[in-house]
Amino acid sequence: MQTFSFNTNRAPVLFIADLHLDPARPDAMEAFLAFADGSARRAAALFILGDLFEAWIGDDARPPDEPVGPALRALAAGGTMVFLMHGNRDFLLGDDFRDAAGATRLEEPAIIHVDDEPVLLEHGDALCIDDVAYQAFRAQVRDPAWQAGFLALPIAERLRQAQAARTRSGEEMAGKTEAIMDVNPGAVGQRLRDWQVRRLIHGHTHRPAVHEFELDGQPATRIVLGDWFEQGSVLRVEHGRYALETLAFGR
């Protein structure tokens, strides 16, 4: 298992997820590039917990002028460790992109140590177990054989299938309740028990909040990262304090 430890009295640690970066959303792209070239440079590490991109159909389809990889490489070159975890939109991010970005792949779920406390990290979609149809889809696209078959298709066909999948996803979500698309509390509790931790950080649900609760008679915390649709969302851990921050677009 990967092991990383950070002392936030020396430098902050940052967590983001669900940026869904896309050329069609220039405000979000500009905000991220400014963040990577600004406050993120003072951090010991930046953890990106999935869905950095709106869609990713393979490293070989990456546009030559794609700006995110170079921005992350510059950040890493400046001394900030960059970690990338797969989400439900960019699960095909590969080693070529990570190498170009100077980033380290973060397995899911992952344990890191922040100020000597073990903290569990994941994208969050695996905890939405009440959405049975989505979990079946997730199992399919995370299968190595399915991924190899998809990546063997011509880029144009991959793009067509990805666009069709996004359309279907939007239609299906319109017919689901918010409760079904949220994490299952029992799954959260079991995950914390399985990994013997009391703090979980995840994204996916686009519902930023800090949830304090009791698990087996002990305090526990679940921190949900926000998305980057109307504004940026960053979890900053500094001097032992966890704080969700927002970044206004267009500034």
Side-chain angles (χ1 to χ4, degrees), residues 15 29 35 90 109 194 196 206 209 230-231 246 250:
F15 302 85
M29 183 70 76
F35 165 74
D90 56 7
D194 290 344
Q196 299 181 356
H206 301 192
E230 302 298 330
Q231 60 190 13
T246 58

Side-chain angles (χ1 to χ4, degrees), residues 113-126:
H113 286 79
V114 180
D115 300 320
D116 296 324
E117 178 193 11
V119 178
L120 183 64
L121 310 177
E122 59 182 290
H123 178 57
D125 57 335

Side-chain angles (χ1 to χ4, degrees), residues 10-11 15 71-72 83 97 105 109 133 197 206 210 224 240:
R10 297 174 181 169
F15 302 85
L72 290 176
F83 297 88
F97 177 82
R105 175 174 179 170
V197 298
H206 301 192
V210 177
V224 187

